[in-house]
């Protein structure tokens, strides 16, 4: 009996230990206890000062820039003249130079149901010097407007650079707070990576495209001075055959141009850029991505082109996250994850940024690629070659926050909080980058979550990441 009881007790201890360790594994990261005002956000009124039209008849408005080539020596300047075609020319000059140059662009207009756009100008400036401040001017006569930007340093492995991250911005008072916090963040983002869902014009009757115009005027104060790198979200689809608008992404593709040809893409929805020490791949959650599709074929080639000796940091942007533990949009990214996660692990992607879910979440370095239908290996496991997945869909649009979470917090989720905010990714050198998440209720310098990211190529055998908080 003694022996038997001893054995039973030993088995019991083992069982309790096992249950405890399973509980440890199942218990995920941290769900923030931050308490915030839960009001649904309202859009800023159409006559808000934030949307003001610049003075002067037909003055250029909605000025914004993005990268215009593959390496950062080019800039696409876009703007709209509301009533007349005006000039397609951009005048530009280096800060230290008297010599003025010009580049000629082209103009587009489109109709969407009962809306007719203004004259949408796009002009690509090429062969700029790296790491140089340029002034530029658009418009004619007494309505010219002047802005400036700084080109990035030459692409190289140890070039520090700071990216901002915003997603699902919209045009509410919260959107305005998010952009203000980004602008006043002392970390000073140099280029904004935008992970999709821009204006939310499609939430209005007949997708009222005047809300695309107000959004363009809202972001100008930042997007005219630093490049915004665009990702298409579901609110860019604008597919409405019920009133005759059956071409997906119509307003988005007229208004926001990207340098997709420079990365041998055939469409603006997926493309890549190099900037400083980063190689950034932009994917489309709402274009075909199954095997043999154009996006699949492009991405398959694209990963082989990344030279981590030149650009150590491999970053992927997409709208719909692969890993999400909120109830809303849960598993929407699953089909794309099944398609592409093995490549993300094989090519050691450092970090994947997504939006869509109106909240913030950061994952552990995990993968879920072993499953083959019959082997039951369908649980994410720790994987040092896997990216960190960050959901930053908390820009502040009129649909409000999502607060309902899957419980218990899954082991893949390191930190989650339903608050509006933005992210900052500071690349220090080829081995270290620092990511911080800033919620709108805090001071501009406060980080509500942060993590050191160790480069997957240059730190492949080290600890995947070390949480700073
Ligand atoms: Fe979305």
């Amino acid at each position: 009996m003694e022996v038997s009881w001893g054995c039973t007790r030993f088995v019991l201890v083992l069982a309790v230990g096992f249950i405890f360790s399973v509980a440890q594994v199942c218990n995920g990261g941290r769900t923030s206890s931050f308490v915030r005002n839960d009001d649904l956000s309202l859009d800023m009124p159409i006559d808000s000062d934030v949307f003001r039209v610049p003075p002067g008849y037909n003055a250029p408005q909605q000025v914004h820039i993005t990268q215009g080539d593959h390496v950062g020596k080019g800039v696409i300047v876009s703007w709209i003249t509301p009533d007349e075609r005006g000039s397609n020319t951009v005048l530009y000059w280096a800060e230290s130079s008297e010599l003025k140059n010009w580049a000629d662009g082209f103009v587009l207009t489109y109709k969407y149901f009962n809306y007719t756009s203004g004259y949408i100008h796009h002009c690509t400036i090429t062969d700029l010097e790296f790491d140089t401040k340029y002034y530029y001017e658009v418009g004619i006569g007494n309505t010219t407007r002047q802005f400036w930007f700084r080109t990035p340093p030459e692409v190289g492995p140890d070039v520090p650079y700071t990216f901002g991250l915003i997603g699902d911005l919209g045009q509410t008072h919260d959107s305005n707070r998010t952009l203000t916090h980004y602008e006043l963040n002392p970390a000073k983002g140099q280029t904004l990576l935008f992970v999709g869902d821009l204006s939310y014009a499609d939430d209005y009757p007949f997708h009222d495209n005047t809300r695309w115009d107000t959004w363009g005027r809202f972001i100008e104060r930042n997007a005219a001075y630093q490049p915004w790198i665009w990702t298409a979200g579901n609110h860019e689809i604008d597919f409405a055959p019920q009133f005759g608008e059956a071409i997906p992404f119509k307003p988005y593709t007229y208004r926001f141009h990207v340098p997709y040809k420079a990365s041998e893409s055939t469409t603006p929805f997926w493309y890549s850029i190099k900037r400083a020490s980063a190689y950034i791949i932009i994917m489309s959650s709402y274009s075909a991505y199954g095997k043999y599709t154009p996006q699949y074929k492009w991405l398959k080639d694209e990963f082989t082109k990344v030279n981590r000796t030149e650009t150590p940091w491999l970053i992927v942007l997409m709208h719909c996250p692969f890993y999400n533990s909120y109830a809303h949009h849960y598993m929407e990214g699953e089909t794309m994850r099944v398609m592409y996660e093995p490549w993300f692990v094989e090519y050691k992607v450092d970090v994947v940024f997504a939006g869509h879910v109106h909240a913030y979440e950061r994952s552990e370095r995990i993968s879920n690629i072993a499953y083959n239908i019959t082997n039951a290996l369908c649980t994410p496991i720790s994987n040092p070659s896997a990216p960190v997945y960050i959901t930053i869909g908390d820009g502040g649009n009129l649909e409000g926050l999502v607060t309902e979470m899957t419980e218990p917090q899954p082991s893949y989720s390191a930190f989650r909080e339903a608050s509006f905010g933005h992210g900052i990714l500071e690349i220090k050198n080829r081995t270290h980058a620092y990511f911080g998440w800033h919620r709108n209720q805090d001071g501009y310098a406060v980080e509500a979550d942060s993590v050191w990211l160790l480069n997957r190529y240059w730190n492949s055998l080290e600890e995947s990441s070390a949480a700073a908080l």
Side-chain angles (χ1 to χ4, degrees):
M1 280 299 287
E2 272 295 312
V3 172
S4 175
W5 169 236
C7 280
T8 306
R9 200 165 46 177
F10 178 66
V11 169
L12 269 175
V13 167
L14 269 183
V16 169
F18 176 72
I19 290 165
F20 180 72
S21 59
V22 167
Q24 288 278 302
V25 170
C26 291
N27 189 11
R30 198 151 67 87
T31 298
S32 170
S33 57
F34 183 80
V35 178
R36 92 221 137 250
N37 183 343
D38 221 8
D39 292 344
L40 193 62
S41 326
L42 293 175
D43 271 351
M44 293 178 281
I46 205 121
D47 59 355
S48 164
D49 236 22
V50 175
F51 302 141
R52 66 184 168 276
V53 176
Y57 171 72
N58 209 40
Q61 58 170 264
Q62 304 179 52
V63 181
H64 55 92
I65 60 171
T66 193
Q67 185 159 320
D69 66 357
H70 206 228
V71 296
K73 292 182 80 171
V75 170
I76 301 174
V77 180
S78 304
W79 71 99
I80 293 181
T81 47
D83 297 312
E84 289 181 2
R85 182 176 295 259
S87 166
N88 292 331
T89 301
V90 175
L91 199 62
Y92 64 97
W93 60 97
E95 183 181 32
S96 56
S97 169
E98 296 291 304
L99 188 65
K100 294 196 173 179
N101 304 287
W102 70 91
D104 286 324
F106 55 91
V107 67
L108 302 167
T109 61
Y110 74 91
K111 289 182 190 299
Y112 190 94
F113 187 56
N114 61 356
Y115 168 92
T116 302
S117 75
Y119 295 89
I120 305 169
H121 305 256
H122 299 287
C123 178
T124 303
I125 306 172
T126 55
D127 294 322
L128 298 166
E129 297 297 321
F130 283 117
D131 205 9
T132 302
K133 184 174 181 180
Y134 284 90
Y135 291 92
Y136 69 99
E137 191 175 286
V138 292
I140 46 175
N142 60 359
T143 61
T144 54
R145 298 184 67 207
Q146 207 178 92
F147 305 88
W148 56 263
F149 58 79
R150 175 170 280 279
T151 52
E154 186 170 2
V155 171
D158 288 302
V159 182
Y161 204 73
T162 303
F163 293 100
L165 275 305
I166 291 180
D168 305 69
L169 184 58
Q171 44 194 300
T172 71
H173 296 286
D174 286 316
S175 320
N176 198 23
R177 278 178 208 116
T178 300
L179 186 55
T180 302
H181 273 245
Y182 174 58
E183 291 168 311
L184 298 179
N185 190 325
K188 290 197 182 305
Q190 295 165 285
T191 289
L192 186 83
L193 307 178
F194 194 93
V195 291
D197 281 2
L198 284 61
S199 75
Y200 288 75
D202 63 341
D203 277 346
Y204 286 81
F206 304 108
H207 299 210
D208 183 0
N209 273 220
T210 57
R211 278 291 175 175
W212 274 109
D213 289 317
T214 51
W215 197 78
R217 296 200 288 272
F218 162 47
I219 64 158
E220 182 193 89
R221 71 187 202 222
N222 187 267
Y225 297 93
Q226 66 172 251
W228 285 35
I229 307 303
W230 300 110
T231 313
N234 55 302
H235 284 277
E236 279 64 72
I237 303 173
D238 277 314
F239 177 68
Q242 67 275 22
F243 50 83
E245 293 298 344
I247 301 171
F249 301 106
K250 189 176 174 183
Y252 173 70
T253 47
Y254 274 91
R255 289 167 183 271
F256 299 93
H257 279 198
V258 299
Y260 65 93
K261 289 178 186 163
S263 53
E264 287 157 44
S265 169
T266 50
T267 158
F269 307 120
W270 55 87
Y271 63 102
S272 71
I273 57 166
K274 298 180 201 175
R275 201 161 179 92
S277 45
Y279 199 105
I280 301 166
I281 293 176
I282 294 92
M283 296 176 66
S284 178
S285 303
Y286 306 102
S287 305
Y289 51 75
K291 200 165 183 178
Y292 316 120
T293 60
Q295 183 166 204
Y296 175 95
K297 290 173 85 166
W298 177 82
L299 188 61
K300 191 170 195 290
D301 287 347
E302 185 65 14
F303 273 126
T304 66
K305 295 176 185 170
V306 182
N307 175 0
R308 302 293 277 275
T309 304
E310 182 194 40
T311 49
W313 293 93
L314 181 51
I315 298 166
V316 175
L317 311 181
M318 60 179 65
H319 185 62
C320 186
F322 285 4
Y323 287 98
N324 159 37
S325 74
Y326 289 86
H328 203 53
H329 300 313
Y330 187 62
M331 287 185 72
E332 276 185 29
E334 194 62 6
T335 48
M336 200 181 205
R337 183 191 67 74
V338 170
M339 280 304 306
Y340 293 126
E341 192 182 19
W343 289 350
F344 286 17
V345 173
E346 179 183 350
Y347 291 102
K348 292 184 162 57
V349 172
D350 289 295
V351 56
V352 178
F353 292 104
H356 200 40
V357 179
H358 299 165
Y360 171 73
E361 185 163 25
R362 172 172 57 82
S363 81
E364 303 288 357
R365 288 198 186 276
I366 39 83
S367 70
N368 189 5
I369 54 178
Y371 184 52
N372 74 351
I373 305 285
T374 56
N375 63 7
L377 299 174
C378 53
T379 303
I381 56 166
S382 177
N383 186 336
S385 293
V388 168
Y389 294 87
I390 293 176
T391 301
I392 190 94
D394 54 344
N397 64 73
L398 77 172
E399 294 178 354
L401 286 165
V402 298
T403 52
E404 195 186 343
M405 303 172 183
T406 62
E407 300 291 355
Q409 184 168 10
S411 57
Y412 60 75
S413 173
F415 181 90
R416 58 185 184 176
E417 181 182 318
S419 294
F420 294 129
H422 74 275
I424 293 280
L425 177 68
E426 295 176 69
I427 296 176
K428 307 289 188 187
N429 53 37
R430 78 181 66 194
T431 56
H432 284 69
Y434 184 77
F435 177 81
W437 175 63
H438 299 256
R439 72 163 82 85
N440 289 353
Q441 289 85 350
D442 294 336
Y444 299 123
V446 176
E447 291 157 346
D449 180 43
S450 60
V451 66
W452 277 102
L453 299 170
L454 303 183
N455 187 277
R456 290 304 87 197
Y457 183 85
W458 292 98
N459 287 289
S460 54
L461 297 177
E462 293 181 37
E463 189 65 41
S464 59
S465 64
L469 280 178

